[in-house]
């Protein structure tokens, strides 16, 4: 029981001893996650009068979970409650699975308070069956956020936990599941108030409808041919490689791609948030409709790119899911890292096996890569001479393997522009802007949706479906058949050329794919000579 005392800081509650039975067992729901999937965990708290006052946690707890005993003891005492001088045994079920993280602290502390009789309320134990708890405790009883809150909330909701008590900073994630009463708490005392029915659910925040700033293609002048390539990439979700000397706008063009991609649906935005929730250091994530844009440095490790670790975490290819993965200075990435991209490009997911289990991460991204034509960067520049020898140039291009180059649908050489021409009034027209390009992308994707159904785009359609329903004219197929041999197109390259040609026709509003569409698609595969050759 508790006694209320008036002091200088107002009314405070002091815990006193309450009679408890010889043995008391309380069960609460919590969880952790592996990969991007939540896993339910039942926290069983057993108090026994006959014992030495020990406090043990079993059920394969990880290091951070084992250390929670001292945190929980201090948090309970510093929150004004009496820590029971009984034998305490906590089991994290199922016991055969390793548990990681400090997210079980809140459930364990509340279980101890309920089992010891410090927290009582009518119908409390029946109510616990439909509740979930997640949060780390500080020594003063504060409840801290943890990673993976969205994953745990979704998992517990699927198992009937309609009320969930989370750290306040995690509550914004949990309410995104929908149909839940989420209680955001900042202190252990507030969590106790929830159990007593003295604290209501957190009000769901309104979704931020303000437009996030994305740079405009109107700011890039004189690169209309490259903008056309990006238009194709966005319309059909085709991977693109830019090659050209330094300082001509390759990075500027890539960073503006998000401005012409369609905004994510709510389901897609939640899907990307699940990945962010599981990623290292991401807590309290907010829902964003802007497609992700990831630009890892070329020194990124293999596991940093594709994911990994003793407890697998998502890498850059997964954090770019539903968005753009931009690799600047492509040949500077390690060969092992680049070759690991082949699976996620083809399968749109990546599977990682570790001792802790096998995890599959989604990785459906649009790859944008940029590179210089040679080590010095000035091969083919109209004003600056190249200082590289033929052997250096060939060795540089070999850093991109043939199989990887074959998976890049659009090879685009970006031309150098005289900087002084920008200052002459009317010399260069503003060109295509993001609003215009965005409308064209939306129209082309609508045609693809009507043709293939759902959200399928041309880049995901098989060769048989393309030839059956893609409406290629006999003349267009004859051109492709005639040119494929001199260009040494592989079977994969042949199919990808068909996909790009179908997107070219969609952008022009044509039902049929004609010769001009095929020739434009093939021009993008021939624009970077020698790439990937041995």
């Amino acid at each position: 029981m508790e006694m209320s005392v008036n002091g200088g800081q107002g009314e405070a509650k002091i815990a006193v001893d309450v009679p408890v039975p010889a043995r008391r067992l309380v069960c609460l729901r919590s969880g952790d996650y592996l990969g991007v999937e939540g896993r339910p965990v039942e926290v069983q708290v057993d108090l026994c009068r006959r014992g030495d006052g020990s406090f043990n946690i079993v059920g394969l707890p990880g290091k951070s979970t084992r250390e929670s005993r001292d945190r929980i003891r201090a948090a309970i005492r510093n929150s004004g409650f009496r820590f029971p001088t009984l034998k305490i045994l906590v089991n994290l079920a199922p016991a055969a699975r390793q548990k990681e993280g400090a997210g079980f602290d809140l459930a364990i502390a509340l279980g101890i308070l309920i089992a010891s009789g410090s927290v009582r309320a009518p119908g409390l134990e029946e109510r616990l069956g439909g509740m979930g708890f997640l949060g780390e405790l500080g020594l003063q009883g504060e409840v801290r956020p943890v990673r993976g809150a969205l994953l745990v909330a979704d998992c517990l909701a699927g198992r009937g936990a309609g009320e969930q008590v989370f750290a306040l900073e995690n509550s914004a994630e949990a309410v995104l599941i929908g149909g839940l009463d989420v209680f955001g708490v900042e202190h252990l005392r507030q969590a106790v108030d929830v159990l007593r029915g003295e604290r209501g659910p957190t009000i769901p925040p309104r979704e931020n409808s303000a437009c996030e700033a994305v740079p405009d293609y109107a700011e890039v002048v004189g690169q209309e041919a490259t903008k056309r390539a990006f238009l194709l990439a966005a319309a059909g979700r085709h991977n693109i490689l830019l090659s050209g000397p330094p300082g001509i706008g390759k990075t500027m063009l890539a960073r503006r791609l998000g401005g012409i991609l369609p905004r994510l649906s709510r389901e897609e935005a939640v899907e990307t948030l699940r990945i962010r929730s599981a990623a290292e250091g991401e807590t309290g994530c907010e829902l964003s409709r802007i497609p992700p844009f990831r630009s890892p440095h070329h020194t990124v490790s293999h596991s940093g790119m594709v994911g990994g670790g003793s407890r697998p975490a998502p890498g850059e290819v997964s954090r770019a899911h539903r968005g753009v993965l931009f690799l600047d200075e492509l040949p500077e990435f390690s060969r092992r890292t680049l070759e690991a991209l082949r699976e996620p490009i083809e399968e749109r997911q990546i599977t990682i096996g570790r001792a802790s289990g096998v995890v599959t991460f989604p990785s459906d991204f649009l790859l944008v890569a940029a590179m210089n034509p040679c080590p010095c960067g000035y091969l083919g520049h109209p004003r600056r001479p190249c200082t590289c020898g033929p052997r250096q140039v060939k060795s540089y291009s070999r850093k991109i393997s043939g199989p990887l180059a074959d998976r890049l649908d659009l090879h685009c050489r970006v031309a150098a522009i005289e900087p002084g021409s920008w200052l002459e009034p009317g010399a260069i027209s503003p060109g295509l802007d993001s609003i215009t390009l965005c409308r064209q992308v939306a129209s082309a994707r609508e045609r693809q949706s009507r043709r293939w159904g759902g959200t399928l785009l041309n880049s995901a359609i098989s060769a048989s479906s393309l030839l059956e329903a893609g409406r290629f004219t006999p003349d267009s197929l004859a051109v492709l058949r005639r040119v494929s041999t001199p260009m040494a197109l592989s079977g994969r390259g042949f199919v990808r050329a068909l996909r790009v040609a179908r997107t070219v026709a969609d952008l022009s509003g044509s039902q049929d794919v004609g010769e001009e569409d095929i020739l434009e698609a093939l021009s993008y595969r021939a624009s970077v000579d020698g790439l990937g050759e041995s």
Side-chain angles (χ1 to χ4, degrees), residues 416-431:
I417 297 176
E418 181 60 47
S421 62
W422 302 344
L423 305 177
E424 300 175 12
I428 299 180
S429 62

Side-chain angles (χ1 to χ4, degrees), residues 51 69 81 87 136 141-142 182 209 272 277 298 325 346 350 374 459 461 507:
R69 292 175 297 179
F81 300 101
K87 180 180 180 180
E136 174 188 338
E142 67 273 21
V182 179
S209 59
T272 62
S277 181
H298 60 76
L325 178 64
E346 289 289 340
I350 187 163
C374 64
S459 60
I461 305 303
L507 282 170

